[in-house]
C-alpha cells in the first residue's frame, strides 16, 4: 500500500474531481469527502485535482479494480496533530504527478498537456445531432430527416440505437446469448440498403452514427470468445447513480478490451460499417472496467485507420477516463431523467468533467428516461446551444425530441435555438483548435477567469463559452439570477434568442430576471469581444452559407483568430490550417485582419466575404459586404446605422424587479 500526505493552507479549495448527480451543483471538494476514481452511468471521477495552493495533481496506477481505480484522495480539516492536509492512498504502487500552477487556468492547461491534446472533432459534430431509441423503420428515418430539412430545423447527424444493427435488445439475455442475435450486421427493417441510404443522407449533409455495446449477444460468438478467454467475469452495473451491482446485467458477455487480440478482432468487425458510410460510434454501457471506454475506443480508432486512414475519429461515450480526448472520444452525461432538477445539474456536470479531463461534453437533451414536456425540452436545448455537443435523445416509448412534436410556441423557440447554434459554428470550431493547440479551455467555469471574485468560486449555473457568459433559464418558473463579474457587459447580439438593445450592463452584482420568454436565453459578452458568425446554415455542409459576419462589442480593444481547415481529415495535425486574426482598435474604431497558414484551407467551405457589425451604447452599425482577402481593414466610417432591436419584455420587467447586491 502507498500513502502520500500533502499539507495545505486553511483556505485551500480543490477543483477537477469529476462529478455525479450528488455533487454536480458545486465545483469544489468538500472537507472529508473521499474522491474515489470510478466510472458509472451518470458519474465519472478522476484521480485528479487542482489545488488553490498552487498546483495540479494526477495519481496514476498501473491497474484498475473493475469500475474503480485502486487510488483515492481525501482533504482533511486541520486538527491539533495536523495542519489542513490532503492524503492520497493506493492499495499498490502509484505515481503522483504534481504540476506547479498559480491559478486554475494554468493548472488545467498543464493537466491537459500531460494527458494529451484533445483532438479537434469533425466539423459536422459542431452542429446538431438527433438521437432516439425507436427508429422503427427505414421509412420513418427518411421521413424524419426530410421533416428536419423541410421545416428548416438545422441538422448534421442522426444517431441510431439498437434498431440499426439488430431486431431486439439484449438486456434479458443469459450468459449463453441467443443464436438469432446479430452483433455485427444491419437490421433489414431500418437499413436494407445501407450504402445507398447512408450516401443519400450524406448528400443531404447528414451523417449517421450507430450505437455500440461492449459485449456480445450471439451464442456462437460468445462460445468462441469464451473459449479464447476474452470475456470479463462480471457485467454492467444496473441503473444510474449510484450503481446497482446486485442488479448487474449482461453477465459473462462483456469483452475484455485490455487484450490486444480482442481489440484486433473487434476492430476487424467494424471495418465494413465504416466502408459503408457509418460516420461515428455511440458507445453505451461500457462501465465494465475503469479503462473499458479508452481501450474500446482504441479498437474503433484502429478500424478507422485501416479503412479511411486520414479521416478524423469521433465517438460519443457514456463515461470516460483522463486522456480519451486525445483519441477523438467525447462524452455525454448518461441516462438523465426528464426533470428540472436534472436540467439544473447539467451545467455543473459539464464543468466538473471539463476540469477533470473531458473537454467535449454533451447530454441527453430533454432527459432520457421518460416523457419530457415542451418547456423543459426547450430550456434544455437552449443550454445545449452553448455545450460542446448539441444532441437530443429519448427512450423507446417517449415522444421523440423533434421540435415539431411539442406545439407551435416550443417549435419556433427550438428552431431559433438551433439557428443560433449554427451561427456559432465558425466561433466554436476556432475555439476547438485553440484547445488542441494551446490547451485553452473552450468551456470553463467563471472562476477560471475571475478567481478573485468569491461569487464565481462554486458557481455552476453559468459558464464561459469562449467569451460568452451563458446564464440559461434552469427553473420551471422561467426566472434566473444573473451574476456578471466586474466590467462592461453587452447582451449577446448574435441572434434574436439573446437579443438586447445594445446597452451595456455594469458587472459586479447579481440581478434576478423573471418571466423570461420561452424563446429567450440570457447570454452576455464583455466590451472588446470580437466574434465570427455564420449566416443561414441548415448543415455544416452548407458552409460558408454567405459572408462571414464579424461582430465587435465596442468599449475596448479585442481580437479573435478564426481557424479553418477541411473539417474531415487529420491534416490539421500537420498544420494544414488557415488562420485569420481579426483585431479591433477601439481608439480608431477599425477592424483589421491578416492571415497565416493555408489561405482558403477549407476549400469551398472557406469564407470569402465579410461584413462588420459594431455594437455600442449608441446602437448598431453595419458595413457593406467586402471580399475577405489575406489582409484588410474596415474603418468605422464605412459603416451605417441599423435599427436597434427593441428591449425584450423580460429585460424591461427585470429592470424594475432587479434584486441586486
Amino acid at each position: 500500500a502507498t500513502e502520500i500526505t500533502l499539507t495545505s493552507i486553511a483556505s485551500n479549495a480543490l477543483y477537477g474531481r469529476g462529478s455525479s448527480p450528488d455533487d454536480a451543483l458545486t465545483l469544489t471538494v468538500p472537507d472529508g469527502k473521499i474522491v474515489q476514481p470510478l466510472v458509472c452511468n451518470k458519474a465519472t471521477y478522476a484521480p485528479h485535482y487542482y489545488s488553490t495552493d498552487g498546483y495540479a495533481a494526477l495519481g496514476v496506477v498501473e491497474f484498475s479494480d473493475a469500475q474503480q481505480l485502486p487510488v483515492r484522495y481525501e482533504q482533511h480539516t486541520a486538527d491539533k496533530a495536523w495542519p489542513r492536509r490532503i492524503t492520497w492512498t493506493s492499495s499498490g504502487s502509484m505515481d503522483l504527478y504534481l504540476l506547479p500552477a498559480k491559478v486554475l487556468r494554468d493548472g488545467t492547461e498543464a493537466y491537459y498537456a500531460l494527458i494529451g491534446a484533445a483532438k479537434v472533432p469533425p466539423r459536422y459534430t459542431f452542429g446538431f445531432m438527433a438521437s432516439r431509441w425507436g427508429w422503427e423503420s427505414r421509412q420513418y428515418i427518411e421521413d424524419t430527416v426530410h421533416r428536419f430539412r423541410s421545416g428548416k430545423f438545422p441538422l448534421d447527424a442522426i444517431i441510431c440505437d439498437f434498431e440499426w444493427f439488430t431486431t431486439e435488445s439484449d438486456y434479458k439475455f443469459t450468459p449463453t446469448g441467443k443464436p438469432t442475435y446479430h452483433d455485427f450486421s444491419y437490421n433489414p427493417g431500418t437499413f436494407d440498403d445501407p450504402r445507398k441510404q447512408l450516401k443519400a443522407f450524406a448528400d443531404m449533409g447528414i451523417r449517421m452514427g450507430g450505437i455500440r455495446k461492449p459485449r456480445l449477444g450471439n451464442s456462437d460468438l460468445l462460445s468462441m470468445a469464451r473459449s479464447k478467454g476474452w470475456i470479463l467475469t462480471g457485467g454492467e452495473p444496473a441503473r444510474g447513480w449510484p450503481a446497482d451491482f446486485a442488479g448487474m446485467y449482461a453477465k459473462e458477455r462483456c469483452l475484455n478490451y485490455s487484450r490486444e487480440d480482442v481489440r484486433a478482432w473487434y476492430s476487424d468487425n467494424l471495418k465494413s460499417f465504416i466502408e459503408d458510410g457509418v460516420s461515428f460510434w455511440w458507445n453505451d454501457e461500457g462501465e465494465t472496467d475503469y479503462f473499458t471506454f479508452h481501450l474500446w475506443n482504441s479498437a474503433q480508432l484502429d478500424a478507422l485507420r485501416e479503412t479511411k486512414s486520414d479521416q478524423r475519429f469521433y465517438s460519443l461515450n457514456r463515461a470516460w477516463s483522463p486522456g480519451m480526448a486525445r483519441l477523438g472520444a467525447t462524452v455525454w452525461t448518461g441516462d438523465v431523467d426528464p426533470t428540472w432538477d436534472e436540467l439544473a445539474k447539467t451545467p455543473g456536470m459539464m464543468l466538473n468533467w471539463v476540469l477533470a479531463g473531458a473537454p467535449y461534453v454533451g447530454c441527453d437533451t430533454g432527459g432520457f428516461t421518460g416523457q419530457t414536456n415542451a418547456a423543459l425540452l426547450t430550456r434544455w436545448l437552449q443550454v445545449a446551444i452553448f455545450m460542446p455537443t448539441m444532441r437530443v435523445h429519448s427512450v423507446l416509448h417517449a415522444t421523440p425530441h423533434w421540435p415539431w412534436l411539442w406545439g407551435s410556441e416550443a417549435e419556433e423557440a427550438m428552431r431559433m435555438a438551433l439557428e443560433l447554434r449554427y451561427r456559432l459554428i465558425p466561433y466554436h470550431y476556432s475555439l476547438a483548435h485553440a484547445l488542441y493547440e494551446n490547451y485553452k479551455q473552450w468551456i470553463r467555469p467563471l472562476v477560471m477567469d475571475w478567481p478573485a471574485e468569491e461569487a464565481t468560486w462554486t458557481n455552476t449555473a453559468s459558464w464561459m463559452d469562449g467569451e460568452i457568459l451563458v446564464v440559461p433559464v434552469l427553473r420551471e418558473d422561467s426566472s434566473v439570477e444573473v451574476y456578471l463579474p466586474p466590467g462592461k457587459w453587452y447582451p449577446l447580439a448574435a441572434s434574436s434568442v439573446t437579443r438586447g438593445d445594445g446597452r451595456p450592463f455594469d458587472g459586479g452584482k447579481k440581478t434576478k430576471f423573471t418571466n423570461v420568454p420561452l424563446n429567450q436565453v440570457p447570454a452576455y459578452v464583455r466590451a472588446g469581444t470580437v466574434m465570427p458568425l455564420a449566416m443561414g446554415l441548415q448543415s455544416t455542409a452548407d458552409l460558408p452559407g454567405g459572408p462571414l459576419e464579424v461582430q465587435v462589442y465596442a468599449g475596448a480593444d479585442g481580437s479573435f483568430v478564426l481557424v479553418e481547415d477541411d473539417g474531415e481529415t487529420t491534416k490539421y495535425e500537420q498544420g494544414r490550417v488557415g488562420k485569420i486574426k481579426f483585431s479591433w482598435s477601439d481608439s480608431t474604431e477599425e477592424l483589421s485582419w491578416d492571415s497565416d497558414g493555408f489561405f482558403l484551407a477549407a476549400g469551398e467551405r472557406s469564407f470569402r466575404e465579410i461584413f462588420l457589425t459594431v455594437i455600442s451604447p449608441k446602437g448598431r452599425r453595419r458595413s457593406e459586404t467586402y471580399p475577405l482577402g489575406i489582409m484588410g481593414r474596415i474603418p468605422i466610417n464605412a459603416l451605417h446605422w441599423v435599427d436597434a432591436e427593441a428591449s425584450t419584455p423580460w429585460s424591461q420587467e427585470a429592470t424594475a424587479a432587479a434584486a441586486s447586491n
Side-chain angles (χ1 to χ4, degrees), residues 112 115 118 325 329 331 350 353-355 357-361 388 435 441-443:
Y112 271 79
I115 63 177
V331 303
M350 172 181 67
W353 283 16
V354 166
L355 293 177
Y360 289 97
V361 182
L435 172 62
Q441 292 305 305
W442 162 15
I443 301 293

Side-chain angles (χ1 to χ4, degrees), residues 152-402:
K152 300 297 182 183
F153 302 103
L155 176 70
D156 259 87
I158 61 170
I159 306 177
C160 298
D161 212 302
F162 276 109
E163 61 274 350
W164 82 272
F165 74 93
T166 191
T167 56
E168 60 180 323
S169 69
D170 69 338
Y171 289 123
K172 296 182 179 180
F173 285 14
T174 66
T176 59
K178 281 190 176 183
T180 56
Y181 189 81
H182 299 286
D183 291 287
F184 301 99
S185 185
Y186 290 100
N187 175 358
T190 52
F191 287 93
D192 59 318
D193 194 352
R195 286 203 175 194
K196 181 178 178 180
Q197 292 170 256
L198 296 173
K199 174 63 165 56
F201 293 152
D203 290 343
M204 298 172 65
I206 298 172
R207 314 299 179 99
M208 193 281 275
I211 199 169
R212 290 278 78 195
K213 307 288 184 177
R215 56 185 183 259
L216 299 174
N218 178 268
S219 298
D220 291 339
L221 290 181
L222 278 166
S223 178
M224 177 276 298
R226 199 167 283 117
S227 71
K228 295 177 180 290
W230 287 3
I231 300 297
L232 294 171
T233 56
E236 172 69 21
R239 299 192 317 182
W241 174 263
D244 176 10
F245 291 95
M248 185 175 286
Y249 62 96
K251 293 180 181 178
E252 299 177 41
R253 294 196 290 114
C254 298
L255 288 166
N256 182 359
Y257 290 93
S258 68
R259 294 183 56 130
E260 185 176 355
D261 52 352
V262 170
R263 297 196 300 274
W265 175 82
Y266 185 84
S267 177
D268 285 341
N269 279 279
L270 296 183
K271 292 176 184 177
S272 63
F273 297 126
I274 297 169
E275 291 167 348
D276 289 341
V278 175
S279 294
F280 62 96
W281 305 116
W282 169 32
N283 295 324
D284 193 21
E285 299 171 354
E287 299 86 2
T288 57
D289 183 89
Y290 192 81
F291 294 115
T292 288
F293 277 105
H294 189 120
L295 297 167
W296 188 10
N297 274 267
S298 295
Q300 294 173 334
L301 176 58
D302 288 343
L304 183 65
R305 288 289 163 265
E306 293 175 17
T307 50
K308 298 181 179 180
S309 60
D310 67 348
Q311 183 173 307
R312 291 184 208 177
F313 177 73
Y314 178 75
S315 67
L316 190 60
N317 302 270
R318 197 170 73 169
W320 53 277
S321 54
M324 278 175 54
R326 70 175 182 263
L327 305 178
T330 72
V331 303
W332 91 95
T333 58
D335 300 347
V336 294
D337 301 325
T339 66
W340 290 95
D341 180 62
E342 289 272 29
L343 170 59
K345 292 177 179 178
T346 295
M349 288 286 288
M350 172 181 67
L351 295 171
N352 279 304
W353 283 16
V354 166
L355 293 177
Y360 289 97
V361 182
C363 63
D364 287 350
T365 298
F368 170 70
T369 59
Q371 183 73 6
T372 192
N373 62 70
L376 179 60
L377 175 57
T378 302
R379 293 302 191 193
W380 216 317
L381 200 68
Q382 291 168 349
V383 169
I385 296 169
F386 304 100
M387 296 180 71
T389 302
M390 188 186 200
R391 161 186 170 269
V392 294
H393 187 49
S394 52
V395 75
L396 181 60
H397 298 297
T399 303
H401 297 174
W402 314 152

